[in-house]
Amino acid sequence: MEYYVYKINIQPDILELYERTNELMYLITEVIPNSLEAVLEVTKLDKFFKFVANDTLEFDFDEEFKQLETDTAVLIDEYNKIVRAYNETGESIIRKLF
């Protein structure tokens, strides 16, 4: 039997937030595995989780990244319009599209 151990780097402020709200176990047993299920096959084995990279998962990183770039460009454009309008009028009007 083989075992692989992986370290997941989580920002200290995230750990402190879950620890401060007494939800550290929720982070470990729910949030992290559920997030990883988007790209891996996750199986719970007693106290451990088994993560398997499954080639049958349909995930096109390039397509998703291009969509992210497109969506980000739209948000940046809308943000700049809001800032320009604020600088001109002193009022902030946020459209639904933003």
Side-chain angles (χ1 to χ4, degrees):
M1 183 176 285
E2 296 179 42
Y3 292 93
Y4 297 94
V5 177
Y6 295 93
K7 178 182 175 193
I8 298 176
N9 290 325
I10 301 174
Q11 295 296 321
D13 56 331
I14 300 296
L15 287 174
E16 288 172 7
L17 172 68
Y18 280 93
E19 203 169 39
R20 188 173 47 245
T21 58
N22 294 320
E23 293 187 338
L24 193 56
M25 287 309 295
Y26 175 71
L27 172 70
I28 294 167
T29 61
E30 295 292 326
V31 176
I32 294 171
N34 290 341
S35 299
L36 291 173
E37 280 181 343
V39 292
L40 300 170
E41 181 182 322
V42 180
T43 307
K44 187 170 183 175
L45 305 169
D46 296 319
K47 296 180 183 179
F48 302 98
F49 290 92
K50 177 181 177 183
F51 301 103
V52 178
N54 190 343
D55 291 337
T56 61
L57 286 175
E58 293 185 21
F59 184 79
D60 185 350
F61 179 80
D62 290 334
E63 183 178 317
E64 292 288 326
F65 189 77
K66 286 177 186 173
Q67 185 62 49
L68 176 63
E69 285 183 314
T70 301
D71 294 345
T72 302
V74 170
L75 287 173
I76 290 170
D77 185 49
E78 289 299 314
Y79 171 80
N80 287 332
K81 287 177 185 176
I82 292 167
V83 170
R84 270 194 304 277
Y86 178 79
N87 287 337
E88 291 171 6
T89 66
E91 295 181 12
S92 176
I93 301 172
I94 300 175
R95 300 180 336 158
K96 287 183 181 182
L97 176 62
F98 184 73

